[in-house]
Amino acid sequence: MLANQGYAAYANNKIMTASPAELTLMLYEGAIKFANLAIEAIDANDIQKAHNNIMKVQRIITLDHKYPVAKDFDEVYNYLLMRLREANIKKDKDIMEEVLKHLRTMRDTWKEVMRTAHASR
């Protein structure tokens, strides 16, 4: 119990002290984690677990449109949301793997942007 409280405090501190770029990276990592869990659940024919994890991915990739850059990603995110809805309805592993591939590419691109920005300082 005490170890769980320590981890929760660590995780909360990590989030509270992260830069906006680091928070974005954490969101990509979370979306990838939940997509993987959804794929595992589909394989195990655990419909509820698959649904729950696909919904978590959907919530993560829903953009906050208060930032101008968000508009640049509208088409990509709308496509992913459409595919996630389809994967959830059909419990389709292939669609989830396609979404996962896109999420990994986006995460890796974001990491490169962060690295380049850090190197240019």
Side-chain angles (χ1 to χ4, degrees):
M1 179 77 166
L2 197 54
N4 287 343
Q5 289 174 338
Y7 178 77
Y10 167 79
N12 187 49
N13 187 52
K14 184 176 178 183
I15 291 167
M16 298 304 290
T17 60
S19 69
E22 291 167 330
L23 287 172
T24 300
L25 181 60
M26 286 181 206
L27 288 171
Y28 280 126
E29 295 287 356
I32 290 166
K33 171 187 160 187
F34 294 126
N36 278 317
L37 290 171
I39 290 168
E40 289 174 12
I42 291 168
D43 279 342
N45 203 28
D46 188 337
I47 303 305
Q48 189 62 49
K49 185 176 179 182
H51 169 78
N52 291 343
N53 283 291
I54 292 170
M55 293 303 296
K56 289 176 184 180
V57 177
Q58 284 184 251
R59 283 191 291 274
I60 288 172
I61 66 169
T62 302
L63 288 176
D64 180 350
H65 290 278
K66 72 179 179 181
Y67 299 106
V69 72
K71 289 174 182 30
D72 297 336
F73 293 99
D74 269 351
E75 287 186 39
V76 173
Y77 285 110
N78 285 336
Y79 174 77
L80 291 178
L81 287 169
M82 178 192 70
R83 295 299 279 163
L84 285 164
R85 281 187 219 104
E86 187 178 355
N88 205 358
I89 290 167
K90 297 178 179 178
K91 299 302 182 266
D92 189 311
K93 179 181 173 179
D94 292 335
I95 296 172
M96 282 307 300
E97 287 178 347
E98 175 198 344
V99 169
L100 184 57
K101 179 182 173 188
H102 290 299
L103 290 170
R104 285 181 176 145
T105 299
M106 294 165 73
R107 180 219 34 215
D108 294 346
T109 300
W110 189 252
K111 280 183 176 179
E112 184 62 22
V113 167
M114 289 174 65
R115 188 191 65 75
T116 302
H118 182 71
S120 69
R121 288 184 197 162

